[in-house]
Amino acid sequence: MAADQLRDAPSRAEIDRATLRDIYTRTMKVNRTDEKFRALLMEGKVAVMYYCVRGQELVSAAAMTALTDDDYVVCTYRGQGEQTAKGIPAEKWWAECLGKVTGTCKGKGGTMHITYPEKGIMVTTGVVGSGLPIANGLAMASQNNGDGRVTMVSFGDGAANIGGFHEAMNMAALYQLPIVFLCQNNRYGEHTAFADHTASPSIADRAAGYGMRSIHVDGNDVHQMYNAAKLAVDRARAGEGPTLIEAMCYRMMGHFFGADFSYMPPEHLAEMKAEDPLPKLRAVMLDRQFTEAELDDIVAQIDAEIDTAVARALAADFPDPHELKVDVFEEEMP
Amino acid sequence: MAADQLRDAPSRAEIDRATLRDIYTRTMKVNRTDEKFRALLMEGKVAVMYYCVRGQELVSAAAMTALTDDDYVVCTYRGQGEQTAKGIPAEKWWAECLGKVTGTCKGKGGTMHITYPEKGIMVTTGVVGSGLPIANGLAMASQNNGDGRVTMVSFGDGAANIGGFHEAMNMAALYQLPIVFLCQNNRYGEHTAFADHTASPSIADRAAGYGMRSIHVDGNDVHQMYNAAKLAVDRARAGEGPTLIEAMCYRMMGHFFGADFSYMPPEHLAEMKAEDPLPKLRAVMLDRQFTEAELDDIVAQIDAEIDTAVARALAADFPDPHELKVDVFEEEMP
Amino acid sequence: MTGKPPQITMVQALNQAIDEAMAEDDGVFCLGEDVAAKQGGGVFKVTSGLTEKYGTHRIRATPISETAIVGAAVGAALAGQRPIAEIMLMNFVGVCMDQIVNHAAKLRFMSGGQTNVPLVIRTTTGVGVGFGGQHSDMLEAWFAHVAGIRVVTPSNAADAKGLMRSAIDSNDPVIFIENILCYGLKSDDPGPGYRVPLGEAAIAREGSDVSLITYGRTVLDALAIADEMASVGISVEVVDLRTIAPYDEETVLASVRKTGRAITLHEAVRPYGTGAEMAATIHEKLWGKLKAPVLRIGGTFSPVPFVAALEQAWIPTKPEIVAAIRSSMENG
Amino acid sequence: MTGKPPQITMVQALNQAIDEAMAEDDGVFCLGEDVAAKQGGGVFKVTSGLTEKYGTHRIRATPISETAIVGAAVGAALAGQRPIAEIMLMNFVGVCMDQIVNHAAKLRFMSGGQTNVPLVIRTTTGVGVGFGGQHSDMLEAWFAHVAGIRVVTPSNAADAKGLMRSAIDSNDPVIFIENILCYGLKSDDPGPGYRVPLGEAAIAREGSDVSLITYGRTVLDALAIADEMASVGISVEVVDLRTIAPYDEETVLASVRKTGRAITLHEAVRPYGTGAEMAATIHEKLWGKLKAPVLRIGGTFSPVPFVAALEQAWIPTKPEIVAAIRSSMENG
Ligand SMILES: Cc1ncc(C[n+]2csc(CCOP(=O)(O)OP(=O)(O)O)c2C)c(N)n1
Ligand SMILES: Cc1ncc(C[n+]2csc(CCOP(=O)(O)OP(=O)(O)O)c2C)c(N)n1
Ligand SMILES: [Mg+2]
Ligand SMILES: [Mg+2]
């Protein structure tokens, strides 16, 4: 297939109201979780590594809305969006972030390594780019046993320069795996701006070199973002192979909470502000006749849920040191 | 730059007679060395791993002709072509392959690890794809100290699927390093045919995704091959950055000497035969008024040189076990 | 019954083990470079004949992409399959250690036991075939130093079959090291379903004077030398670890408790090799009960040289092993 | 002279060493993720201020491409430069072991001495900051097991400066391990040109009863515990290896010859750790001269857990170290 045939055009096709409501709810869940986390960190109530997702909420939420509960997701340390939007129960999620024994991983994984197979969150990796090869394996399992699942793997623009990205893209295209590669291009890899780590204008441009389909979308536009995810997921589920989605977005709060971001130029900060996905999404919702009250109510419910979850997580126990002997191998260590 | 602007067209521009003679001489040096090696292996006079270059002689020879003695080369286990065409003295080369103390590496490196900095052969690696990142470093040194050297790194089609390829391509493009990536697409990676390891039609297609220039040539056509190498080398030397050359060729003798190649389909063998670079090159030479006698004479001289080298190498000593203590660290081991 | 029992080579043993496991469990599949029928069934033919039976989804020939290979195996294992990934030669783990060590080995723990990674990584290596510096290393000590992964290596065809079945059965990731020089070794066919439990060493030869603790190809050297030493009145017990890590400390200590003397032997370079762990443990646990210090023998501390003249000097040599045995006997 | 001598932190010490080397030799340059001024001078600020002096060709901010980073350093070193490559955190060596082990460490040997690879790979790690399973490992034993590469780690700012200068001077490749928890430690400024030779251990504290052999952050624990033990009449000698491999066997053996007792201590997991090599060597070389078996202390054999409640139990604890000292003293 020629390179131009491999590129899908972004779509502004209308999204039905129920789906829109779903996307809005998930987006706000991601956002309110992020706000709450930052508040707790600010107040010094918790002191853990947290990679803010402010500015990227819609990308994750819309992408997760295109998946079923059974579909698999692999994400990164900056995976709060995928994790909460895919449906990890708030209390389990918070407890893990706070290192509690009631957390998804009993406090052993932590913020960078949230796993919750019940909702398809199979791996959260802290090694940049390492999720893509693993995601292929999940998709390969689905292809092998015909379970109809789709795998989506989320990663950053910076991750597109590591070897694992390349190997995984080529392998997925070769086997036509049921997988979606979601590159959240937030314009920075740690402190390095996109143009300082990549000489081509876009990551999506790389897909053609693997014979893979791709689509480049504005991740702050709910229509472009959801329609792209839906297209790619449907394609994968139909056995028509992988798609690379490059979703343009902004990392509005630096690399991790508390990290210096003085290296970000003021123009960039202004640009980001103008493209904030949240007011844009709210405008779309209002335009589609959701009322202010209805939308506020969704947020209020989310906040209540988060508050309960945080309170319970704070009150829960830390794991016992005996946990160091468990889950190393199948049998407990002596 | 748009993708199509990054692609150079193959050129059939005439090559001057002196250069043509040079290319012919180097090509035949590669070929006669290969023939001799296979003969020695057949006769059981030597028993070492040898990766035949039958069918790829012209690619290496033309590429090396485009370089100066000072330019750097990084190649692979299948590097006989680059090594002999770049000018490693035959005796030193043969002695290394036979594991003799008079070899380039005192018999410690062997056929897969020939090094000879005097002629710019800096690394021969046995790990697929590992040469590209190292080649970037050589080019980076040249860029740092402005020595005007160009680095050329040769690798196979199979190597284009390993992570190191990707990381090196992106880094070279980002820094505009003075380097040429020479992919010798001999249609197989070990026993796997091109279409079974890569879903895109060509490796050259990948360059655009890095913002790198590329050119796709018939490696059996002396004009296309030499002109591509010259263009890329001149560009690199002028500080205009890297180029990926994909040279189409055939691996006519299986993966290594003695290896089964029953997995290669008969159509492929027939196709290869029709494209053999040696009769084609000879036809070009005759067309350009080189006489049969002149050409035969070149080959006779090469053969004589090889025979002497082999005889001397066979007669030379093996290294003393004391060599195990030397060259591990700077100081001799206790 | 007449005639000898049927014999199988190590290649056949591995092939049979994989074949049996694939026949029994649809979730078992192989992936790696050149492993399928179209490529000749693997460069060492271990997966020969399996594509014909199980198809190209279960015998997947891959691009040259070790990170993608191991990564895919990790992912498929997380999804409940039992992949067998091949890394053609052990040195190439250098390009995919992250997937093995940071992921395969750790995901059970980091997920708090919600997931596990039942994969087998088969690889081969070996000094003595002239493959040189980048194709000959034994790197088992790297993996032994990582919690969450098991390291296995057979010294004979029957064990190869039994260990491979157990490795595939294992719910933990396993690095399965084959030695190129052992592929042709023959054993009596142990028959279908044969298993050798992981974590159990074998006493390859009983003895009473000194314990020679080894694994893989050097077990052959050890047995040959034990024969010789018997003729001069020294009784060598050869312990074949089979599982290198976590190893069978009990059997090792029992042997040394009996003999009072121990020598560790491996092809990997001596410094920081697995022999160091065993020597340190034996000294600590059998303090006051040893007749001589534990001696360690390993490959020369240099990259593996190309030419046989150096390569044969690089590997643990017979005189070296005999000298260690004699030196050990002189003590106490 | 009045007042205290000026003090520098370990970050400043490293920065100064690199700065001095770059000023003296045009061939010295740095590359790694975020190392240049535009990115803030490195995530731990070690290369802060150097871009302004030496430009972006000599302080190269790279893509997230560890294989390309180390590979480029190898190539530049072959061409006669002296690159200092940064791998942001030690676990990420998992993606570039091939370049380090199969290339950097071996090219001198495989080329028969025609080339050498004078590079430094700086990396950091450390347990105790809640970075979890993929960002905390000490993997020095992997490199120690490879011929051709040196492994260095400082425990204080002055040594950091002196070791870094020597690492840059070295004509062999060096892995330079920094501990995140040590970056803020202060020493008296040793002044310009200061060097600590590679391969020389330091007696960080003299003692006569038991040798505590360690390196990196755990030297601090060792010193604190030695203080305490002194108050109960046990004299602990603390040996700071500084160069982990090849290590200063002479100093270690001399210390243990004197005390008759040894304990090895490191943050890396205990099994197959560097302590095993030292314990095995001490037992062999000082056979009959030890008063107690060598004890080894290391991190718990599990991935590093996230939450502090587990992490603090994971690392070698004070009670564990004290218990080992007491147990050692009970012997002999
Ligand atoms: C292999 C590897 N190298 C370096 C790092 C350190 N690191 C953590 S996050 C990060 C930036 C990643 O950028 P990007 O992929 O764009 O993701 P983002 O953080 O923007 O979501 C880096 C360099 C790492 N975790 N893994
Ligand atoms: C990382 C790595 N994986 C696997 C191998 C085994 N191997 C050696 S050569 C080869 C095929 C390489 O194919 P290609 O790059 O096309 O080069 P060619 O042999 O055709 O010249 C393979 C898989 C290796 N040497 N290194
Ligand atoms: Mg980013
Ligand atoms: Mg090829």
Side-chain angles (χ1 to χ4, degrees), chain C residues 43-321:
Chain C
V43 294
F44 299 105
K45 306 281 175 200
V46 171
T47 47
S48 174
L50 302 179
T51 318
E52 294 79 343
K53 284 193 187 173
Y54 304 107
T56 51
H57 270 192
R58 292 184 64 200
I59 302 288
R60 290 201 188 235
T62 66
I64 307 172
S65 308
E66 281 78 3
T67 296
I69 294 168
V70 179
V74 171
L78 288 172
Q81 300 218 311
R82 294 191 173 272
I84 304 170
E86 179 177 318
I87 299 297
M88 200 183 282
L89 285 162
M90 190 163 205
N91 280 81
F92 312 153
V93 298
V95 298
C96 58
M97 282 301 278
D98 169 60
Q99 287 293 342
I100 304 175
V101 166
N102 290 325
H103 295 88
K106 291 177 179 171
L107 290 178
R108 182 194 282 275
F109 185 87
M110 297 201 311
S111 74
Q114 293 176 100
T115 59
N116 66 314
V117 188
L119 65 77
V120 179
I121 297 175
R122 289 183 44 239
T123 190
T124 187
T125 188
V127 180
V129 277
F131 279 4
Q134 294 180 332
H135 289 69
S136 310
D137 291 337
M138 283 286 291
L139 300 168
E140 65 277 11
W142 290 1
F143 300 101
H145 189 48
V146 172
I149 195 153
R150 300 180 189 276
V151 187
V152 168
T153 194
S155 68
N156 61 66
D159 279 359
K161 180 163 182 183
L163 289 168
M164 179 55 78
R165 279 310 297 272
S166 298
I168 300 169
D169 291 343
S170 169
N171 288 324
D172 294 310
V174 178
I175 304 279
F176 196 100
I177 308 171
E178 302 161 14
N179 191 302
I180 297 179
L181 288 101
C182 295
Y183 274 138
L185 295 179
K186 285 185 180 168
S187 297
D188 290 351
D189 183 347
Y194 182 66
R195 281 167 173 84
V196 171
L198 302 189
E200 287 190 15
I203 302 299
R205 176 190 174 112
E206 289 199 28
S208 52
D209 290 329
V210 54
S211 301
L212 191 49
I213 303 156
T214 184
Y215 50 82
R217 193 197 54 75
T218 45
V219 170
L220 305 182
D221 295 341
L223 290 172
I225 286 167
D227 270 354
E228 266 183 49
M229 299 313 289
S231 68
V232 297
I234 300 175
S235 170
V236 177
E237 175 146 306
V238 178
V239 182
D240 179 353
L241 287 180
R242 304 196 292 195
T243 296
I244 305 175
Y247 76 102
D248 184 352
E249 194 179 294
E250 216 172 292
T251 299
V252 167
L253 292 178
S255 172
V256 184
R257 206 173 279 118
K258 180 175 74 176
T259 60
R261 298 181 181 87
I263 297 168
T264 65
L265 168 65
H266 49 62
E267 220 172 279
V269 298
R270 187 188 125 123
Y272 304 88
T274 58
E277 175 64 29
M278 284 159 217
T281 301
I282 292 167
H283 275 294
E284 183 184 340
K285 298 270 169 96
L286 301 183
W287 173 250
K289 301 195 181 78
L290 295 178
K291 298 178 188 149
V294 182
L295 298 178
R296 292 179 291 145
I297 302 174
T300 306
F301 197 52
S302 85
V304 177
F306 165 69
V307 68
L310 295 181
E311 203 184 16
Q312 292 305 319
W314 188 97
I315 54 176
T317 60
K318 204 177 109 179
E320 210 179 330
I321 301 167

Side-chain angles (χ1 to χ4, degrees), chain A residues 104 115 125 130 143-144 175 330, chain C residues 60-61 67-68 98 103 114 171:
Chain A
T104 52
T115 302
T125 174
S130 291
Q143 189 180 64
N144 284 353
Y175 296 148
E330 184 171 28
Chain C
R60 290 201 188 235
T67 296
D98 169 60
H103 295 88
Q114 293 176 100
N171 288 324

Side-chain angles (χ1 to χ4, degrees), chain A residues 235-269:
Chain A
R235 175 181 291 152
R237 205 173 322 272
E240 292 162 16
T243 305
L244 169 62
I245 301 175
E246 181 176 19
M248 302 308 293
C249 51
Y250 293 92
R251 189 194 68 186
M252 299 179 78
M253 303 292 298
H255 181 54
F256 56 80
F257 179 84
D260 166 50
F261 53 104
S262 57
Y263 53 84
M264 287 166 79
E267 317 84 79
H268 184 76
L269 298 169

Side-chain angles (χ1 to χ4, degrees), chain D residues 76-235:
Chain D
L78 288 173
Q81 300 218 309
R82 294 190 174 272
I84 304 171
E86 178 177 317
I87 299 298
M88 200 183 283
L89 286 161
M90 188 161 206
N91 279 83
F92 312 153
V93 299
V95 297
C96 58
M97 283 300 279
D98 170 60
Q99 287 294 342
I100 305 175
V101 166
N102 291 325
H103 295 90
K106 292 178 180 171
L107 290 179
R108 182 194 281 276
F109 185 86
M110 296 200 312
S111 74
Q114 294 175 97
T115 59
N116 66 314
V117 188
L119 65 79
V120 179
I121 298 174
R122 290 183 44 239
T123 191
T124 188
T125 188
V127 180
V129 277
F131 279 5
Q134 294 181 333
H135 290 69
S136 310
D137 290 338
M138 284 286 291
L139 300 168
E140 66 276 11
W142 289 3
F143 301 101
H145 189 47
V146 173
I149 195 152
R150 301 181 189 276
V151 187
V152 168
T153 195
S155 68
N156 61 68
D159 280 358
K161 180 163 183 184
L163 288 168
M164 179 55 78
R165 278 312 296 273
S166 298
I168 300 169
D169 291 342
S170 169
N171 289 323
D172 294 311
V174 177
I175 304 280
F176 195 100
I177 308 171
E178 301 161 16
N179 192 304
I180 297 179
L181 288 99
C182 294
Y183 274 137
L185 294 179
K186 286 184 181 169
S187 298
D188 290 351
D189 184 347
Y194 182 66
R195 281 167 171 85
V196 171
L198 302 189
E200 286 190 15
I203 302 299
R205 176 189 173 113
E206 288 200 28
S208 53
D209 290 331
V210 53
S211 302
L212 191 49
I213 304 156
T214 184
Y215 49 83
R217 193 195 55 74
T218 44
V219 170
L220 305 182
D221 295 341
L223 290 172
I225 287 167
D227 270 354
E228 269 185 48
M229 299 314 289
S231 69
V232 298
I234 299 176
S235 171

Side-chain angles (χ1 to χ4, degrees), chain A residues 191-214:
Chain A
H191 302 184
T192 304
F194 185 78
D196 294 324
H197 66 60
T198 298
S200 73
S202 130
I203 299 301
D205 286 350
R206 293 187 175 163
Y210 307 106
M212 191 190 294
R213 288 177 164 278
S214 67

